[in-house]
Amino acid sequence: MNVRIYQINMKRDANNVAFMNYESLPKFQGSSEIDSSLYDKVFEGEVNCFTLEKLYEIFNLKHPAGYKGRSMSVSDVVEIIDGNTGKSYFHFCDSIGFRWIDFAPEKTQVSDRFLSLAEQEKISVLLVPVGKSPIVKEIPNTYEAMKELVGGGGLDEYMPFEDDAAIVCNRDGKQEKLPMNRAVYQPPKRTEMSYSDLKSLFREAENKGQHLSAHIVFTADTFKKPYSEFERTYEVSSDNKAFQSRMGGYSIYGASLDGVDPCLRMEGLMADEMGGKDGWKIEKCYLLDNTREVADIIHGDFFIARSNVANEKYSSLSSEQLLKYKRLFRYPERFHETAHGIEIEPFKPDRADKER
């Protein structure tokens, strides 16, 4: 419901009609006509309710964050704006219920305690719903908006990542037995090495029937546009024909960490492979430890935001962080309780073999 709320300014209330019900107005001011010039606008915005009674409850018991006006009381005026026509309807808060009235908002003033929800600071976060892919959401930077995003209750914060991103979730998710959503894993250990050494380890692992993964970072001057190291990094698995013996072909597929190239055939692009002297030049390689140690399991919907520990507030994720955590949490997980604990089954999308 899109509303504006007006309250009598006590300094302009010569007849002392503030907090008086509608029937008492003639006794104090000689007329039942509402004097709009006595009123200040204290609030405007979209409120999550459908009745005036619910609105009254909200502005008495659950004030929107940042609201500094008085709790709603007798003599306040509520303007409801029809979303289809844009027409306004005015209601006087009476001793019992509300009364439809004529009102002239152009005669009112704006209170120094005025709050516009449209002007509230908003931040971009990554919402990770149970059983679904992550989505970017813009929300007011308020405790109430964050609580609503995770299904109510108090908030808990985890910072298991190497940067300043934080997981924000429902503090009581486990106790309330909300469905398990995603596991949070310890960051994989990375060992830097040359591409030649990496290829040797890849081939050795494949001969033993094992699969390894690595990050290959290409130099900044490889590309015509400026890219960050994150955007220049591709994840490659040993499970490629180039690293397997007695294969009928030679191919290397990789995925950029920023998600732009989800399945790129790379051997023809790389200077260290078939790309020649003008091919993509490797800056460094990291072998990844494939063991995934679970740090925690998040119950219920959660979101990821940038956390400023010094200021104790959240802010928008950078575009690089949005891409990074979209990729990290892109697939839902299934959880099974067994006699040995919780077993995690990763979601594996169907896709073509891509000659691997």
Side-chain angles (χ1 to χ4, degrees):
M1 191 159 64
N2 192 6
V3 302
R4 298 186 182 106
I5 297 176
Y6 304 86
Q7 295 178 334
I8 291 176
N9 187 315
M10 312 291 279
K11 294 179 181 179
R12 301 198 300 273
D13 184 19
N15 294 318
N16 298 315
V17 294
F19 309 116
M20 292 296 169
N21 62 22
Y22 189 81
E23 298 298 332
S24 299
L25 291 181
K27 176 181 176 182
F28 284 85
Q29 66 179 19
S31 167
S32 60
E33 184 178 347
I34 304 297
D35 184 356
S36 305
S37 66
L38 300 179
Y39 285 81
D40 286 347
K41 181 168 62 172
V42 297
F43 175 86
E44 71 177 3
E46 193 76 30
V47 182
N48 186 23
C49 67
F50 300 98
T51 67
L52 286 165
E53 287 71 23
K54 185 63 177 178
L55 185 74
Y56 181 87
E57 178 184 330
I58 290 172
F59 279 87
N60 271 271
L61 303 176
K62 303 174 184 176
H63 292 174
Y67 178 70
K68 297 179 181 178
R70 300 188 297 263
S71 292
M72 189 176 290
S73 186
V74 175
S75 78
D76 289 358
V77 171
V78 177
E79 177 183 1
I80 298 178
I81 301 97
D82 189 306
N84 296 318
T85 65
K87 187 175 180 179
S88 291
Y89 300 90
F90 299 92
H91 305 265
F92 181 90
C93 183
D94 215 344
S95 299
I96 299 177
F98 289 81
R99 180 186 292 264
W100 198 346
I101 59 167
D102 292 324
F103 192 76
E106 66 276 7
K107 294 182 180 180
T108 66
Q109 298 182 29
V110 177
S111 171
D112 55 5
R113 298 171 295 162
F114 171 69
L115 170 67
S116 170
L117 290 185
E119 295 172 359
Q120 278 189 321
E121 178 192 4
K122 293 187 177 181
I123 59 173
S124 293
V125 303
L126 187 68
L127 174 65
V128 185
V130 175
K132 297 180 181 178
S133 298
I135 53 176
V136 179
K137 297 277 288 186
E138 187 178 65
I139 63 170
N141 194 5
T142 65
Y143 186 73
E144 288 75 12
M146 295 174 189
K147 283 175 57 179
E148 184 176 346
L149 202 60
V150 300
L155 299 179
D156 246 351
E157 174 185 293
Y158 295 92
M159 296 190 70
F161 310 118
E162 295 175 347
D163 58 10
D164 56 357
I167 289 175
V168 184
C169 61
N170 189 318
R171 183 178 60 207
D172 303 317
K174 292 181 182 178
Q175 288 79 3
E176 294 180 2
K177 296 184 178 181
L178 296 180
M180 286 181 275
N181 186 345
R182 300 291 204 279
V184 179
Y185 300 91
Q186 298 286 1
K189 296 176 182 177
R190 304 197 307 173
T191 304
E192 187 171 353
M193 61 183 59
S194 68
Y195 183 62
S196 176
D197 289 342
L198 179 65
K199 287 176 68 174
S200 296
L201 286 174
F202 270 11
R203 287 168 176 162
E204 182 181 335
E206 289 299 317
N207 286 335
K208 296 178 180 178
Q210 302 170 347
H211 298 314
L212 300 178
S213 298
H215 286 168
I216 299 176
V217 185
F218 294 97
T219 61
D221 61 3
T222 288
F223 307 96
K224 295 180 180 179
K225 295 181 180 180
Y227 291 117
S228 66
E229 182 174 315
F230 177 74
E231 294 170 311
R232 294 184 276 115
T233 302
Y234 283 72
E235 186 167 328
V236 176
S237 167
S238 63
D239 186 16
N240 275 283
K241 288 184 177 181
F243 312 119
Q244 297 170 336
S245 59
R246 297 183 295 278
M247 296 299 292
Y250 191 94
S251 58
I252 301 173
Y253 285 86
S256 62
L257 296 191
D258 65 2
V260 173
D261 292 323
C263 190
L264 178 69
R265 185 163 182 171
M266 300 174 62
E267 78 280 358
L269 300 172
M270 298 166 60
D272 286 68
E273 289 288 346
M274 303 173 183
K277 62 183 180 62
D278 296 324
W280 290 12
K281 298 183 289 295
I282 294 175
E283 179 178 318
K284 49 193 171 185
C285 300
Y286 294 103
L287 180 68
L288 303 180
D289 182 353
N290 284 339
T291 58
R292 303 183 79 197
E293 185 178 345
V294 176
D296 202 353
I297 296 175
I298 308 298
H299 292 240
D301 296 348
F302 66 90
F303 67 89
I304 302 171
R306 178 177 283 182
S307 178
N308 188 323
V309 177
N311 294 338
E312 296 185 345
K313 64 180 295 187
Y314 298 116
S315 57
S316 295
L317 292 171
S318 67
S319 56
E320 186 173 293
Q321 286 176 316
L322 285 170
L323 289 169
K324 175 182 177 180
Y325 293 111
K326 257 188 172 181
R327 187 173 186 275
L328 184 62
F329 293 104
R330 65 191 182 279
Y331 298 133
E333 294 175 306
R334 298 182 179 91
F335 300 87
H336 309 284
E337 294 193 27
T338 70
H340 305 288
I342 296 174
E343 188 177 285
I344 303 172
E345 178 189 352
F347 172 82
K348 294 182 180 179
D350 294 329
R351 63 183 183 185
D353 188 11
K354 301 296 183 184
E355 297 185 306
R356 292 200 178 188

